[in-house]
Amino acid sequence: MSELPHWIKRRFPASGGENMEILLRSLGLHTVCESARCPNIGECFGKGTATFLILGEVCTRNCGFCAVKKGRPLPPDPEEPIRVAQAAKALALKHVVVTSVTRDDLPDGGAGHFVQVIRALRMTLPSATIEILTPDFQGREEFLEIFREDLPDVFNHNVETVPRLYPTVRPKAQYERSLFVLERFKALFPSVLTKSGLMVGLGETPEEVLEVLSDLRHAGCDIVTIGQYLRPSMKHLPVRAYVPPSWFSFYEEKAYELGFWGVASGPFVRSSYLAERFMEVK
Ligand code: SF4
């Protein structure tokens, strides 16, 4: 794809937050900010926020857009929950976002480990709100039930793209299964905000994006994020289009018309980018 458009160019490169990196390394923690090469890392680390990546940095799946390592993950680290809580406390986070790679190799898909992290955060930082951005847990409701013990404030699971593109973008995922996970979590735990997100610029049509927004609303989703796909490396899927900011405004307008409580739509929007803002207006 040719020259980057001006609305993308402005923000590269982004660095900053050296203190954040020192803290993360000292506690042996990973962030999806680093693993996924997020363009907002300088801004977020500079502000002292980050999205913790638990359950290791090796994923059992192979999404075509994602820079996270693929392969055979190590066993979960039982000390990780308390270290995440220590880091969140050291950063005095008001809103803590925790995500993970997909662990299809674990008997509960990693749900139990997420609950341990939520519990450690509730004990260490009782005033903070907690958002978890999870895999699809293979659509197994019994794994969602595990969260009944310690619920997050926001349950986030991304559909990532439109169903037609799943075979190339998310080959080991299923669109209907991701909708099911969001719909079931909302039905099981109505007090928890549910959230999802998608990237544009992978070849989808505007009509397909609007259909996804409508499907998410039918699944009871409260918050949606829409951002521009950016290619992490030449090994990853090509960018099919740089979507102009006016289209992000159009999607935002349509999303609010569909009844979403919260919408973040823009070229640099990512699942947990400025996630704390939704908590401020809750
Ligand atoms: S499941 Fe998540 S972490 Fe794994 S490859 Fe896909 S997007 Fe990346």
Side-chain angles (χ1 to χ4, degrees):
M1 178 141 248
S2 59
E3 181 71 9
L4 287 175
H6 65 85
W7 63 83
I8 295 287
K9 229 182 249 164
R10 287 181 289 118
R11 306 275 306 258
F12 295 128
S15 65
E18 285 71 20
N19 295 341
M20 170 71 79
E21 285 160 33
I22 292 165
L23 174 73
L24 294 166
R25 296 300 84 84
S26 71
L27 286 167
L29 293 171
H30 307 295
T31 66
V32 75
C33 323
E34 296 157 301
S35 294
R37 303 181 197 156
C38 179
N40 303 315
I41 194 167
E43 179 186 342
C44 296
F45 275 25
K47 267 190 336 186
T49 64
T51 297
F52 298 105
L53 181 67
I54 61 170
L55 291 165
E57 51 178 354
V58 177
C59 184
T60 53
R61 298 202 180 161
N62 58 349
C63 301
F65 64 89
C66 178
V68 169
K69 291 187 203 121
K70 282 65 179 195
R72 285 173 67 89
L74 296 172
D77 174 353
E79 303 301 312
E80 185 176 54
I82 195 64
R83 292 205 311 274
V84 168
Q86 287 167 341
K89 187 165 187 189
L91 295 164
L93 294 178
K94 290 190 181 59
H95 185 60
V96 185
V97 186
V98 179
T99 189
S100 85
V101 295
T102 296
R103 295 296 303 258
D104 293 320
D105 60 313
L106 296 177
D108 67 354
H113 196 75
F114 265 103
V115 164
Q116 296 301 324
V117 171
I118 294 171
R119 190 171 294 163
L121 285 166
R122 293 286 188 220
M123 285 199 301
T124 310
L125 213 53
S127 60
T129 50
I130 301 171
E131 175 172 337
I132 57 170
L133 171 55
T134 76
D136 63 16
F137 296 120
Q138 296 140 29
R140 302 210 14 212
E141 185 158 335
E142 65 270 31
F143 295 171
L144 302 183
E145 265 295 339
I146 294 171
F147 286 94
R148 191 175 292 285
E149 296 167 31
D150 290 276
L151 287 172
D153 299 282
V154 181
F155 176 82
N156 189 350
H157 172 66
N158 287 332
V159 290
E160 304 290 9
T161 187
V162 301
R164 176 176 57 84
L165 299 179
Y166 264 54
T168 50
V169 176
R170 302 183 80 198
K172 291 187 179 175
Q174 295 161 21
Y175 179 71
E176 293 303 330
R177 184 165 70 192
S178 285
L179 287 179
F180 173 81
V181 167
L182 287 159
E183 187 251 325
R184 289 313 301 152
F185 202 96
K186 191 67 178 177
L188 291 168
F189 314 115
S191 65
V192 176
L193 287 169
T194 53
K195 178 177 177 181
S196 188
L198 71 158
M199 301 164 287
V200 291
L202 283 158
E204 73 294 325
T205 66
E207 293 72 25
E208 288 177 308
V209 173
L210 296 180
E211 266 168 48
V212 168
L213 294 176
S214 166
D215 289 345
L216 288 172
R217 277 305 295 144
H218 281 106
C221 205
D222 303 295
I223 303 170
V224 69
T225 61
I226 307 165
Q228 166 73 50
Y229 167 61
L230 296 172
R231 192 180 198 174
S233 82
M234 294 309 286
K235 284 185 301 178
H236 296 90
L237 292 171
V239 174
R240 297 290 179 202
Y242 288 105
V243 177
S246 57
W247 275 100
F248 287 101
S249 309
F250 168 75
Y251 291 141
E252 180 173 349
E253 194 189 310
K254 289 296 173 190
Y256 279 120
E257 279 174 19
L258 283 164
F260 282 95
W261 173 79
V263 182
S265 180
F268 288 99
V269 167
R270 296 293 179 270
S271 316
S272 50
Y273 180 53
L274 305 178
E276 68 279 2
R277 288 209 180 148
F278 292 118
M279 295 296 107
E280 286 153 12
V281 291
K282 188 175 174 209

